[in-house]
Amino acid sequence: MDAEKRTPVSFIKNLLVARWRSLLLLFLGVYLPLQIFQLLAVQVWQYQAGFPWDVPILLAVHSTANPQLDILAVVLTKLGSFWTVLPILTTVALILLWQKRWRSLVYLLITALGNALINRTAKELWHRLRPDFWTSLAPELDFSFPSGHAMTSTTLAIILLILAWQSSWRWVVWIFGSLYVFTIAWTRLYLGVHFPSDIIAGWMVAIAWGTGVSMIIKPHLVKTAPVPGVQPATETTLLPEEQDDLAANN
């Protein structure tokens, strides 16, 4: 009976059952966003004009322009800039440092710095020019693909969501984070400084990077203090087959 349980097929089945949440997160949070980004990137690389739906969406957003929205868009778009998000992340980092949450702190630093590096590298590689259909109220001078504001706002939202995931605040962070990300995206389109595909690409890269780093760093993993008479928990959960093999080797 034990021999039947330890067949390769049963081991793979047990592994998939035990790790289905991680595999689903890997698929939805890393693989799928990267595939979407790849489709966008290839199209932009071949044709600077991008997609047929880029310009109609941009013009549709611009058709709603009025003086009140002009002021609102100029003010709100600053909330998605790197220099606005930096003080927020610095404050969170200091709180994590004070709480000695080292894994969470490392996760925040790697995710934030990686976001800036990836965005700058991608812009220089693709060299996509920004749309030029009207005079923007907040013009930008660098390249367009992927959107830095979209990446920065999404990265901030993901960092806060992952750090709050095991608390009762996660749904509040999810709701307000989503509103924040979509608001920043609207401002970039309204101001005419990005194509919609720039925004989507920024979202996808930020989601894949933030999720991937969290799966490696595991920011919520903590080192537990040993309790007399209680077997300490291992850092990773082993399958029964792996535990038996480990015991046999020891």
Side-chain angles (χ1 to χ4, degrees):
M1 188 67 177
D2 289 340
E4 292 179 1
K5 289 182 178 179
R6 296 189 182 184
T7 61
V9 174
S10 65
F11 178 81
I12 293 173
K13 178 181 177 181
N14 291 338
L15 183 65
L16 293 176
V17 171
R19 304 289 190 268
W20 70 269
R21 290 183 179 86
S22 296
L23 292 172
L24 183 62
L25 180 62
L26 183 65
F27 178 78
L28 296 178
V30 179
Y31 173 79
L32 193 58
L34 287 180
Q35 286 300 306
I36 295 174
F37 174 77
Q38 178 199 15
L39 294 175
L40 296 170
V42 170
Q43 180 74 13
V44 171
W45 184 272
Q46 294 177 341
Y47 311 102
Q48 280 288 315
F51 296 83
W53 40 266
D54 264 333
V55 175
I57 293 177
L58 199 57
L59 294 177
V61 174
H62 181 62
S63 67
T64 64
N66 62 63
Q68 290 74 28
L69 287 181
D70 289 349
I71 297 173
L72 184 63
V74 171
V75 172
L76 291 180
T77 201
K78 296 178 181 178
L79 299 178
S81 71
F82 174 79
W83 298 110
T84 301
V85 170
L86 181 60
I88 299 174
L89 290 177
T90 301
T91 302
V92 176
L94 291 175
I95 293 173
L96 296 175
L97 180 64
W98 177 68
Q99 296 176 340
K100 297 182 179 180
R101 294 174 56 183
W102 308 123
R103 282 182 177 269
S104 297
L105 178 60
V106 171
Y107 169 71
L108 183 151
L109 294 175
I110 292 178
T111 304
L113 294 175
N115 165 77
L117 180 61
I118 292 170
N119 182 258
R120 178 50 51 193
T121 303
K123 284 180 181 293
E124 294 300 325
L125 284 176
W126 269 268
H127 273 230
R128 189 186 197 186
L129 299 179
R130 293 181 182 270
D132 188 23
F133 300 106
W134 62 86
T135 301
S136 175
L137 297 172
E140 301 283 358
L141 301 178
D142 60 347
F143 295 110
S144 180
F145 184 91
S147 166
H149 279 65
M151 282 188 64
T152 300
S153 59
T154 305
T155 296
L156 173 61
I158 288 177
I159 289 175
L160 295 180
L161 179 62
I162 289 178
L163 294 181
W165 188 252
Q166 293 186 341
S167 72
S168 59
W169 287 93
R170 63 180 179 271
W171 297 114
V172 176
V173 176
W174 177 276
I175 293 171
F176 282 96
S178 299
L179 291 174
Y180 166 64
V181 168
F182 284 116
T183 298
I184 297 301
W186 168 77
T187 65
R188 305 313 283 167
L189 297 177
Y190 183 90
L191 295 170
V193 292
H194 277 297
F195 293 102
S197 53
D198 298 332
I199 303 292
I200 298 174
W203 287 345
M204 295 302 104
V205 175
I207 291 172
W209 177 248
T211 304
V213 174
S214 73
M215 296 183 72
I216 297 173
I217 302 297
K218 301 182 185 302
H220 294 298
L221 192 63
V222 296
K223 186 175 181 179
T224 56
V227 179
V230 179
Q231 182 68 23
T234 56
E235 188 172 276
T236 58
T237 304
L238 300 178
L239 295 177
E241 296 92 333
E242 296 172 306
Q243 292 174 346
D244 291 341
D245 291 340
L246 182 62
N249 293 330
N250 292 334

